[in-house]
C-alpha cells in the first residue's frame, strides 16, 4: 500500500474501540464518550457523534438561584451542556491535551476554562473568586468537582503537577493554573516588583498562593481567557 494513499491515511487515523469504558482517549487531544445516558460537557466542545444523542444547554436555574447569579457575573466561560442518549460522542477544546481523572470520593478544583466533561455522578459547583474580580477583567472562577466518577480536563501542552506541603507553599500564575486538590484554598497576592521587572500588563502581578498539603496542576501557557468580552 502506498505510504501516502488515502487508504493508508484512513488505516492510521481510523477510530478504534479500545474497550476502556465511558471515557476513551482516541488521540491525546480527542475524547471519545461511550454514551448510554447522560454526560456533562463544556458547551461547544462537540466535534462529532453518531447514534441518538440530544444536546441541551445548561439551564440558568439548573443549580439554583445562587449559581444563576454566579453565571451571570462570570459570563460564558463556564457554560456547560448536557448530552443525553446512546452512541459515541467526540469532544475536544482548541487542540488542548486531555487528561482523564477517576475521582474516588474525592474533590478537585478545575479552572473554569479547563473542564471538558464529567459523569453525572460528579457534583459540580461554580466558585467565583471575588477577591480578584476587581483586579482581573471578568474576574476568575473555577468549578469544584466532587464525588466518584470520571472527569476530563484540558491543558495547553504537557501539564506539570507540583506538590504542596506544609511550610512549602507553591505560587502560580492564574493564567497557567489548570487545577488543584479540593482541600486547598488559594490566596491571591500581587507583586509590583515582578510586574515592573517583566514590563507586562497588570495581570502579570497577580499570583495564586497555595499552602497546606495537596497538589497544583499548571500548564506551560498563559491562557488569558478571563479578559472582558468587547
Amino acid at each position: 500500500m502506498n505510504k501516502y494513499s488515502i487508504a493508508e491515511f484512513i488505516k492510521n487515523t481510523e477510530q478504534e474501540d479500545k474497550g476502556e469504558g465511558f471515557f476513551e482517549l482516541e488521540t491525546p487531544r480527542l475524547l471519545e464518550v461511550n454514551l448510554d445516558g447522560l454526560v456533562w460537557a463544556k458547551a461547544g466542545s462537540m466535534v462529532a457523534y453518531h447514534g441518538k444523542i440530544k444536546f441541551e444547554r445548561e439551564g440558568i436555574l439548573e443549580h439554583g438561584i445562587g449559581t444563576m447569579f454566579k453565571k451571570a457575573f462570570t459570563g460564558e466561560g463556564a457554560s456547560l451542556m448536557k448530552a443525553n442518549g446512546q452512541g459515541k460522542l467526540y469532544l475536544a477544546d482548541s487542540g488542548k491535551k486531555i487528561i482523564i481523572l477517576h475521582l474516588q470520593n474525592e474533590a478537585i478544583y478545575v479552572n473554569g476554562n479547563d473542564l471538558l466533561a464529567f459523569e453525572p455522578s460528579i457534583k459540580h459547583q461554580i466558585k467565583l473568586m471575588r477577591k480578584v474580580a476587581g483586579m482581573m477583567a471578568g474576574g476568575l472562577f473555577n468549578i469544584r468537582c466532587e464525588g466518584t466518577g470520571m472527569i476530563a480536563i484540558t491543558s495547553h501542552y504537557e501539564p506539570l503537577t507540583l506538590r504542596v506541603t506544609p511550610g512549602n507553599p507553591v505560587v502560580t500564575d492564574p493564567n497557567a493554573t489548570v487545577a488543584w486538590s479540593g482541600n486547598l484554598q488559594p490566596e491571591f497576592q500581587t507583586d509590583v516588583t515582578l510586574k515592573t521587572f517583566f514590563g507586562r500588563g497588570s495581570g502579570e502581578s497577580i499570583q495564586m498562593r497555595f499552602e497546606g498539603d495537596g497538589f497544583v496542576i499548571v500548564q506551560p501557557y498563559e491562557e488569558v481567557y478571563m479578559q472582558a468580552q468587547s
Side-chain angles (χ1 to χ4, degrees):
M1 190 180 296
N2 187 294
K3 181 179 179 181
Y4 298 113
S5 68
I6 291 177
E8 184 67 14
F9 174 79
I10 292 173
K11 176 185 172 186
N12 291 334
T13 61
E14 189 173 14
Q15 180 269 336
E16 60 176 299
D17 287 321
K18 300 181 176 72
E20 294 173 359
F22 188 64
F23 283 171
E24 292 186 13
L25 281 180
E26 278 298 318
T27 76
R29 291 168 175 80
L30 198 62
L31 178 71
E32 178 185 275
V33 183
N34 292 297
L35 194 58
D36 185 12
L38 174 69
V39 68
W40 285 93
K42 183 176 182 178
S45 62
M46 186 276 289
V47 296
Y49 73 91
H50 60 77
K52 293 185 178 180
I53 301 175
K54 289 178 122 183
F55 298 91
E56 182 183 349
R57 192 74 168 235
E58 180 182 25
I60 196 164
L61 289 172
E62 187 103 31
H63 303 287
I65 194 80
T67 298
M68 180 189 78
F69 284 125
K70 287 179 186 176
K71 290 180 74 64
F73 191 84
T74 57
E76 291 299 308
S79 292
L80 297 168
M81 65 180 182
K82 292 185 287 186
N84 206 335
Q86 293 181 318
K88 290 186 182 295
L89 172 63
Y90 298 94
L91 305 174
D93 184 14
S94 301
K96 292 159 69 175
K97 185 178 178 68
I98 299 170
I99 303 108
I100 298 173
L101 299 174
H102 187 194
L103 303 187
Q104 300 181 59
N105 198 26
E106 297 167 295
I108 188 171
Y109 286 96
V110 183
N111 182 303
N113 202 43
D114 297 323
L115 182 61
L116 180 63
F118 54 93
E119 287 192 81
S121 58
I122 297 292
K123 295 179 182 176
H124 70 286
Q125 184 178 9
I126 296 172
K127 299 282 188 177
L128 174 64
M129 298 181 182
R130 289 185 175 84
K131 290 183 180 178
V132 292
M135 300 180 197
M136 306 177 98
L140 184 67
F141 62 93
N142 56 73
I143 301 176
R144 179 180 171 90
C145 296
E146 186 173 9
T148 298
M150 310 271 279
I151 71 170
I153 65 177
T154 59
S155 167
H156 282 280
Y157 310 108
E158 300 297 326
L160 174 69
T161 300
L162 302 171
R163 292 288 306 183
V164 181
T165 57
N168 294 290
V170 170
V171 179
T172 66
D173 181 333
N175 296 320
T177 306
V178 173
W180 58 94
S181 47
N183 60 311
L184 297 182
Q185 295 290 335
E187 292 293 326
F188 286 84
Q189 63 185 36
T190 57
D191 191 328
V192 177
T193 306
L194 186 65
K195 171 188 168 185
T196 306
F197 178 77
F198 282 110
R200 301 286 291 274
S202 60
E204 189 69 36
S205 65
I206 302 172
Q207 302 163 349
M208 297 175 76
R209 181 182 179 90
F210 296 87
E211 294 195 62
D213 188 5
F215 64 86
V216 184
I217 304 171
V218 294
Q219 61 185 3
Y221 184 94
E222 291 184 58
E223 188 169 12
V224 190
Y225 68 91
M226 65 276 287
Q227 289 183 340
Q229 299 291 319
S230 58

